[in-house]
Amino acid sequence: MNRYERPAAQGEAVIQYLDGDFRILKPGSHVLCAVTGREIPLSELRYWSVERQEAYADHEVAMQVYEEKFRKRG
């Protein structure tokens, strides 16, 4: 390890989900999917809800939440 490398943070990160981006409030290696509970490495985090401030494991889970939200409104 050289002086510019830092040990990778372990555990669950705390994230603020923004439109098209996110801000790491507490470093960690992953977040948990709000629906499935699966660990999502931060490098693979692609789907989340700004409104609900929660992460989703993949596009299928994100669509499931989106469809449920609009079914309740209908």
Side-chain angles (χ1 to χ4, degrees):
M1 179 184 309
N2 66 40
R3 67 181 181 165
Y4 298 107
E5 291 179 325
R6 295 183 182 199
Q10 298 298 313
E12 186 176 357
V14 176
I15 304 290
Q16 178 185 17
Y17 300 100
L18 308 169
D19 288 324
D21 202 2
F22 57 86
R23 179 178 297 132
I24 299 173
L25 303 176
K26 178 185 161 227
S29 60
H30 66 276
V31 293
L32 298 178
C33 175
V35 176
T36 66
R38 289 188 345 217
E39 287 187 6
I40 308 165
L42 293 185
S43 62
E44 296 177 20
L45 179 59
R46 303 282 183 272
Y47 304 97
W48 61 81
S49 168
V50 173
E51 180 181 337
R52 295 177 178 214
Q53 287 295 293
E54 57 189 24
Y56 306 121
D58 56 37
H59 70 281
E60 292 171 347
V61 174
M63 282 303 298
Q64 174 186 342
V65 171
Y66 178 81
E67 289 171 354
E68 287 174 6
K69 176 182 173 182
F70 285 98
R71 236 182 276 137
K72 289 179 184 177
R73 288 185 179 180

